Amino acid sequence: MKITTLALAASVLGGLALGTGAASAAPIGPNGLQAAPAGITQVRMSSSERMMMKKRMMHKKMMKRRMMKKKMMMNRM
């Protein structure tokens, strides 16, 4: 009786040890981040492109403010 109980306990503990070992050996980077795909490359932006982007963002912000102002005026009526 004791031998079967001991064997059963050993097999359960052995299975748990193998399960946790396999889980901890997973190839995950720090904070769960993975490396970027190899097909994507980084390209530098020229100053003119940067300026155009900045202008576009400013225009977008201005239009958003205008819409919000319009909504506020509509709510007053």
Side-chain angles (χ1 to χ4, degrees):
M1 181 85 177
K2 288 181 183 179
I3 294 173
T4 57
T5 308
L6 185 62
L8 183 65
S11 67
V12 169
L13 288 174
L16 286 174
L18 285 175
T20 55
S24 64
I28 298 176
N31 300 329
L33 297 175
Q34 293 180 348
I40 299 172
T41 56
Q42 208 170 17
V43 184
R44 281 190 177 237
M45 205 184 302
S46 69
S47 60
S48 61
E49 287 174 328
R50 199 175 297 119
M51 194 57 149
M52 285 188 341
M53 204 170 196
K54 198 182 282 186
K55 280 184 181 180
R56 194 179 308 129
M57 292 301 286
M58 285 170 59
H59 186 263
K60 197 174 178 182
K61 195 174 185 180
M62 185 179 69
M63 294 307 277
K64 194 172 184 179
R65 282 184 182 169
R66 189 181 286 177
M67 286 298 290
M68 291 303 288
K69 205 174 195 180
K70 199 174 188 179
K71 282 184 183 180
M72 294 282 280
M73 292 297 285
M74 289 295 231
N75 287 337
R76 284 185 190 175
M77 292 180 178

